[in-house]
Amino acid sequence: AQSVTQPDIHITVSEGASLELRCNYSYGATPYLFWYVQSPGQGLQLLLKYFSGDTLVQGIKGFEAEFKRSQSSFNLRKPSVHWSDAAEYFCAVGFMEYGNKLVFGAGTILRVKS
Amino acid sequence: EPEVTQTPSHQVTQMGQEVILRCVPISNHLYFYWYRQILGQKVEFLVSFYNNEISEKSEIFDDQFSVERPDGSNFTLKIRSTKLEDSAMYFCASSEEGEQFFGPGTRLTVL
């Protein structure tokens, strides 16, 4: 079965520090890959996506992610975190041959300390 | 910019009652989805809908659930007899292909 693993439930970083959130997926082929952000009580906002091509993708709010096929990973990075980045981050994979459903990871809660 | 809308934003119901959650997908999209997120947990796929029929559904989507596209714009999720464990945030999404656009969600509280 398809699965998405986000090994870090909580991460705390200092404002201005760099950030990397990890995501691994389990699937036979390369799925579509996404990162979403969710603030408390809010909906899901797409940060970035990977379908094909360049494995380093740029997103909104200064985020980027790198797809590594050999590691089945799609880690999210930001060089300098802002206090407003505190939120929950979800990695998701999409499978066209399964009705295009998205399978989400459990999420990583990011706390930013000043 | 076009967006997915959902109504109501919050629905409170008694256990055993029927609820209908409504969504208006982006107008030129062909694929429609429902997901749910129980408080503090991850987002879970419920069902996908294409060409007026269900294309995929999860184990959660049992006989108590149904979806419908009653007209050219709305997409609804019906829960026939709600249970306490149906309390969650329900998200609608739509897509052409690939990227799915999510609505703001409906928070369902079953008492």
Side-chain angles (χ1 to χ4, degrees):
Chain A
Q2 314 93 20
S3 67
V4 180
T5 302
Q6 292 181 247
D8 304 304
I9 299 173
H10 295 99
I11 281 186
T12 300
V13 299
S14 298
E15 191 170 14
S18 64
L19 171 70
E20 182 169 31
L21 303 183
R22 296 181 290 165
C23 174
N24 292 91
Y25 66 90
S26 173
Y27 183 58
T30 299
Y32 300 153
L33 299 161
F34 306 85
W35 275 98
Y36 289 88
V37 61
Q38 184 182 38
S39 297
Q42 302 298 309
L44 297 162
Q45 182 181 24
L46 180 69
L47 285 176
L48 46 76
K49 60 185 184 280
Y50 173 80
F51 290 169
S52 64
D54 192 347
T55 56
L56 183 64
V57 293
Q58 303 296 319
I60 63 171
K61 303 184 180 187
F63 285 92
E64 67 178 26
E66 185 172 13
F67 168 57
K68 293 186 177 179
R69 186 187 306 275
S70 61
Q71 297 175 20
S72 297
S73 69
F74 188 57
N75 294 347
L76 181 71
R77 300 194 293 248
K78 186 169 185 178
S80 177
V81 168
H82 188 262
W83 63 266
S84 60
D85 293 324
E88 188 160 17
Y89 292 79
F90 292 95
C91 179
V93 298
F95 304 90
M96 282 300 293
E97 56 268 47
Y98 294 101
N100 201 25
K101 70 178 183 183
L102 291 181
V103 175
F104 284 80
T108 298
I109 296 172
L110 173 65
R111 297 192 179 107
V112 181
K113 59 182 181 180
S114 55
Chain B
E1 186 175 332
E3 58 183 16
V4 177
T5 60
Q6 291 184 244
T7 55
S9 57
H10 193 188
Q11 172 101 40
V12 181
T13 190
Q14 296 291 324
M15 190 169 56
Q17 294 297 303
E18 175 183 286
V19 295
I20 297 177
L21 309 183
R22 291 183 166 79
C23 169
V24 179
I26 294 173
S27 62
N28 62 330
H29 285 181
L30 302 175
Y31 298 86
F32 314 109
Y33 315 85
W34 285 101
Y35 294 83
R36 78 169 186 192
Q37 184 182 32
I38 295 171
L39 187 63
Q41 298 186 23
K42 67 178 178 181
V43 179
E44 301 172 289
F45 169 78
L46 290 178
V47 65
S48 58
F49 191 85
Y50 170 73
N51 201 25
N52 285 318
E53 61 182 24
I54 290 173
S55 49
E56 173 83 6
K57 60 182 181 179
S58 72
E59 294 172 352
I60 303 166
F61 194 88
D62 61 22
D63 292 343
Q64 292 298 313
F65 291 88
S66 62
V67 289
E68 197 175 40
R69 188 154 162 81
D71 52 43
S73 60
N74 290 283
F75 180 53
T76 62
L77 174 69
K78 183 192 290 186
I79 309 175
R80 286 190 188 80
S81 178
T82 50
K83 308 190 238 340
L84 295 176
E85 54 264 37
D86 294 327
S87 294
M89 181 75 92
Y90 288 80
F91 292 105
C92 173
S94 70
S95 71
E96 291 180 278
E97 286 185 12
E99 179 179 350
Q100 294 179 24
F101 293 81
F102 282 80
T106 293
R107 180 165 297 285
L108 176 65
T109 302
V110 183
L111 302 176

